[in-house]
Amino acid sequence: MYRLIPLLSGLLFGLGMAVSGMTDPVNVINFLDFSGNWDPSLAFVMGGAIAVFMPSYFLVIKQRKRALDGEEVCLPTNSVIDKKLLAGASLFGLGWGVSGICPGPALASAFYGNLSIYLFILAMIFGSLMAKKTLQ
């Protein structure tokens, strides 16, 4: 049962992204285009998600020492903002801005059969493997 919870959560996330239109790169690019055809709908989607998640986080999740399946909750302890973090965040943001595709919605978009989404997912997997290799 506990193994189904992450799957169901991911499916619900993907459905939310699809219903809100955030799996369409045009919507994301229009959100980032302040001087042109700016579309604030992504801000409303993010704001709605934060409004739903925040109370759950502070009242339930943050208080827990163990996950629902009994595993210990492991939170990152490193709070240092270094060059690697800034470079990685910049690269992520640049890729998101240029392509209009974010990893979560890209996976949700895979069901549409768009070839560019598959190429993005392959590049994302390759980049993740390269990052993991360089960190070892």
Side-chain angles (χ1 to χ4, degrees):
M1 176 61 179
Y2 290 120
R3 298 218 184 258
L4 285 177
I5 292 172
L7 175 64
L8 293 175
S9 298
L11 289 173
L12 183 61
F13 173 78
L15 181 64
M17 289 286 103
V19 168
S20 67
M22 292 303 114
T23 56
D24 185 358
V26 172
N27 289 336
V28 177
I29 290 171
N30 286 341
F31 172 72
L32 298 171
D33 186 9
F34 294 111
S35 63
N37 189 24
W38 186 64
D39 178 7
S41 60
L42 179 58
F44 292 112
V45 170
M46 287 189 287
I50 290 169
V52 169
F53 178 74
M54 226 171 174
S56 302
Y57 175 76
F58 286 111
L59 296 173
V60 179
I61 298 170
K62 191 172 182 182
Q63 309 301 324
R64 298 185 67 89
K65 299 292 181 214
R66 300 212 167 270
L68 294 175
D69 64 356
E71 294 274 333
E72 186 178 349
V73 175
C74 298
L75 298 175
T77 57
N78 185 3
S79 60
V80 176
I81 298 175
D82 59 4
K83 289 180 184 178
K84 285 175 134 177
L85 176 65
L86 292 174
S90 299
L91 188 60
F92 176 85
L94 184 65
W96 188 19
V98 168
S99 69
I101 305 171
C102 186
L107 294 176
S109 301
F111 294 102
Y112 295 140
N114 186 345
L115 178 63
S116 64
I117 296 296
Y118 296 129
L119 293 173
F120 175 84
I121 292 171
L122 284 173
M124 182 175 68
I125 291 169
F126 177 76
S128 295
L129 292 173
M130 292 304 296
K132 187 175 181 179
K133 191 173 192 139
T134 58
L135 292 175
Q136 292 177 352

